[in-house]
Amino acid sequence: MADQQPGFTIPREKYYIAIAEIIIFSVVQIVQVTMKFLQEWRYWHHSKRKSYARCFLYSWFGLLGLLAQIRVAGSAIVIANSQPDQSLLIAETVLQSVGLSPLLFEVSLVLLRSGQSGQSGPGNSRHPKYMRFLLHSFRIPVLISIVLVVVGGIIDIRACTDAGTAVFVVTFVFIYGLIGWLALRVRPVLPPNGYHCVLVVLMTLPFLAVRVAYFLLGQYGSEKFSPVTGSGGVMVGMSLVMEIFIVILLLLARAVAEPFLPMREVEAESVA
């Protein structure tokens, strides 16, 4: 993360982008909370007793909701401080970097839900055990890599940032291959809704690739790729628009795997 000179002022275009992000991701939070609450209530997959409070808690802290909260917080920093000091610049850059992990975690969870399509109750996935293990486990190196990048940026240790970036790239390539392989292999195993969910997640990969490229260019590219001080047009095209498409597709994938059916129809499908 490049050091900024004293008196640096955030470009005016970034101010307007920040306002747009607050509006967009506030809407994302409302939509995902509503959808996830209905799905949690109708397809309760947890061992704890179902309740409205637990459904709301799981919904509010859904990973797309976490992304929305991170984006709103980062944009609020931009709006509140047109001439931020170094610590605020680092905070905003960190929030931009951390936002990738909720998207990849949500990919993992949506694919796991594809194996439970049309079912309610815990432990009824149609995915084989090794596939469930892979879908769970790739979140660990994603988390480790993001932590290394963030810590390396905060304490200015380039080796830490480089190690985190390398782990992230390797993990993303693995995720890319895993989703493609899953789409080819699971059709005989999953019900139509579950398989269609996997195909929708597959559609997110090009947008995720662009978003990851922006993350890497922010670390190693020119100043115009900086999420805080770089080009507003590049940020909108490679980050904001990509995240909007990814969020829409992941919400759609969840809706395909767990459609909003009346409870009696869900129970009938579970019995069948």
Side-chain angles (χ1 to χ4, degrees):
M1 302 176 187
D3 293 337
Q4 300 298 330
Q5 297 300 320
F8 169 79
T9 301
I10 291 178
R12 194 67 178 173
E13 62 180 356
K14 291 294 183 69
Y15 180 84
Y16 295 124
I17 293 171
I19 294 175
E21 282 193 322
I22 289 177
I23 295 171
I24 291 168
F25 285 102
S26 295
V27 173
V28 167
Q29 175 70 328
I30 293 170
V31 171
Q32 79 88 27
V33 166
T34 303
M35 289 180 60
K36 202 165 190 301
F37 180 86
L38 292 173
Q39 290 167 322
E40 290 289 352
W41 183 256
R42 294 177 176 176
Y43 303 88
W44 186 252
H45 296 296
H46 311 283
S47 57
K48 296 180 180 179
R49 183 177 61 85
K50 182 172 69 173
S51 68
Y52 288 117
R54 285 197 175 105
C55 286
F56 180 78
L57 189 66
Y58 281 120
S59 303
W60 185 263
F61 292 103
L63 290 166
L64 294 183
L66 178 61
L67 171 69
Q69 293 163 40
I70 289 171
R71 289 290 171 260
V72 169
S75 298
I77 292 175
V78 173
I79 293 173
N81 300 274
S82 60
Q83 292 184 317
D85 58 20
Q86 185 68 15
S87 63
L88 286 175
L89 285 172
I90 291 174
E92 169 60 10
T93 304
V94 165
L95 288 172
Q96 287 289 336
S97 301
V98 170
L100 260 176
S101 52
L103 289 174
L104 294 177
F105 282 22
E106 181 69 7
V107 166
S108 167
L109 294 180
V110 171
L111 290 173
L112 286 166
R113 283 294 175 94
S114 71
Q116 298 173 305
S117 179
Q119 305 292 313
S120 60
N124 53 11
S125 177
R126 291 182 174 90
H127 287 306
K129 184 179 291 187
Y130 75 88
M131 181 56 65
R132 296 199 300 273
F133 171 78
L134 291 175
L135 291 174
H136 278 294
S137 63
F138 77 66
R139 284 176 274 176
I140 298 173
V142 169
L143 181 61
I144 292 172
S145 64
I146 294 297
V147 169
L148 287 172
V149 169
V150 169
V151 171
I154 291 174
I155 62 179
D156 198 23
I157 298 180
R158 193 64 192 183
C160 187
T161 302
D162 292 343
T165 302
V167 172
F168 184 83
V169 170
V170 171
T171 305
F172 181 70
V173 171
F174 170 77
I175 294 169
Y176 215 101
L178 179 63
I179 297 173
W181 183 77
L182 187 65
L184 293 174
R185 296 297 299 271
V186 298
R187 187 168 189 173
V189 178
L190 298 184
N193 282 4
Y195 180 65
H196 294 156
C197 169
V198 174
L199 294 182
V200 176
V201 174
L202 187 65
M203 293 168 60
T204 67
L205 292 181
F207 304 109
L208 278 168
V210 175
R211 180 62 184 86
V212 169
Y214 181 70
F215 166 71
L216 295 175
L217 289 169
Q219 297 294 323
Y220 301 104
S222 65
E223 184 64 27
K224 72 177 181 179
F225 294 105
S226 168
V228 180
T229 62
S231 166
V234 172
M235 177 186 176
V236 169
M238 296 188 71
S239 178
L240 179 58
V241 173
M242 295 301 107
E243 287 185 354
I244 292 171
F245 279 124
I246 294 165
V247 167
I248 290 172
L249 287 170
L250 290 176
L251 288 173
L252 177 61
R254 273 192 177 270
V256 169
E258 298 182 333
F260 305 140
L261 298 175
M263 181 60 73
R264 60 180 179 274
E265 293 185 32
V266 175
E267 291 173 351
E269 287 183 6
S270 298
V271 171

